[in-house]
């Protein structure tokens, strides 16, 4: 049986990570969110900036990248900017593995929590993260408010978006 490992992303695979993000758009096509589905993935330069900063992780299945997560530091938390898994490998727990890797890293860094913004009522967004222990924030921090302004400028409706947070478990983590 093959297992998925999570590792820091390599510069040579960044074009593949972009293609994973593009392929993951099919899920939004299937629910009629065509504008979201057709939004271009982050540029290679953006992926490279995350990779150089050590804030990009890849899900590796038998030597093949099948998913990734991009993170940035926002208000003392690890903010999950993007998590994507190729649809051919979806619903196998890979997204959960990616998020767990970020949580371990965040604990090692002494960060308080994981945060993210997502669609409130899309089954593989808000409800999915709630099942992973994320809770909707009633009030958002200044850094998250800036992300909200950026998302709104990109055409995302703030009424359809939520910010979520999950405290980082630090028991048993040494750093």
């Amino acid at each position: 049986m093959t297992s998925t490992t999570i590792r820091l992303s390599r510069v040579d695979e960044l074009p593949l990570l972009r293609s994973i993000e593009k392929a993951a758009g099919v899920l939004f096509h299937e629910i009629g969110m065509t504008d979201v589905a057709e939004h271009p993935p982050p540029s290679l330069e953006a992926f490279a900036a995350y990779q150089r900063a050590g804030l990009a992780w890849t899900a590796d299945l038998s030597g093949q990248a099948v998913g990734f997560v991009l993170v940035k530091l926002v208000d003392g938390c690890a903010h999950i900017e993007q998590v994507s898994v190729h649809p051919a490998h979806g619903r196998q727990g890979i997204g959960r593995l990616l998020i767990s890797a970020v949580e371990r890293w965040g604990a090692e860094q002494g960060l308080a929590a994981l945060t993210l913004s997502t669609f409130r009522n899309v089954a593989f967004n808000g409800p999915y993260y709630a099942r992973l222990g994320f809770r909707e924030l009633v009030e958002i921090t200044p850094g998250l408010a800036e992300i909200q302004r950026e998302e709104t400028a990109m055409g995302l409706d703030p009424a359809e978006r939520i910010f979520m947070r999950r405290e980082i478990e630090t028991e048993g983590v040494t750093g």
Side-chain angles (χ1 to χ4, degrees):
M1 175 158 179
T2 340
S3 66
T4 303
T5 57
I6 308 301
R7 58 171 170 72
L8 287 172
S9 299
R10 299 185 317 252
V11 70
D12 65 304
E13 68 193 355
L14 299 181
L16 178 57
L17 300 185
R18 282 189 85 230
S19 71
I20 290 170
E21 170 66 8
K22 190 165 180 62
V26 72
L27 298 173
F28 286 100
H29 267 296
E30 290 173 356
I31 61 170
M33 295 178 76
T34 306
D35 290 348
V36 174
E38 294 178 357
H39 186 62
S43 67
L44 273 179
E45 294 77 17
F47 270 100
Y50 285 103
Q51 188 270 333
R52 282 192 305 273
L55 298 172
W57 288 265
T58 295
D60 184 307
L61 179 63
S62 303
Q64 177 71 33
V66 297
F68 69 89
V69 62
L70 304 176
V71 175
K72 63 183 176 181
L73 298 175
V74 177
D75 300 324
C77 297
H79 183 76
I80 298 170
E81 184 68 19
Q82 182 67 42
V83 60
S84 289
V85 175
H86 193 285
H89 300 280
R91 305 183 65 78
Q92 298 173 21
I94 295 171
R96 182 184 305 256
L97 288 173
L98 286 160
I99 291 168
S100 293
V102 172
E103 182 173 36
R104 282 190 302 279
W105 173 83
E108 292 166 1
Q109 304 305 308
L111 303 176
L114 303 176
T115 60
L116 56 84
S117 65
T118 193
F119 288 101
R120 176 183 311 278
N121 295 316
V122 173
F124 52 88
N125 278 196
Y128 169 75
Y129 293 114
R131 288 192 304 275
L132 295 184
F134 285 84
R135 299 288 171 247
E136 182 176 355
L137 291 172
V138 177
E139 294 182 25
I140 60 175
T141 63
L144 296 178
E146 178 58 30
I147 290 170
Q148 185 177 52
R149 285 189 289 277
E150 292 168 4
E151 289 181 350
T152 302
M154 290 184 336
L156 296 175
D157 181 354
E160 295 178 9
R161 305 285 292 170
I162 56 173
F163 283 86
M164 301 181 85
R165 177 181 171 113
R166 182 172 94 184
E167 300 306 311
I168 289 179
E169 297 293 327
T170 56
E171 282 187 32
V173 175
T174 58

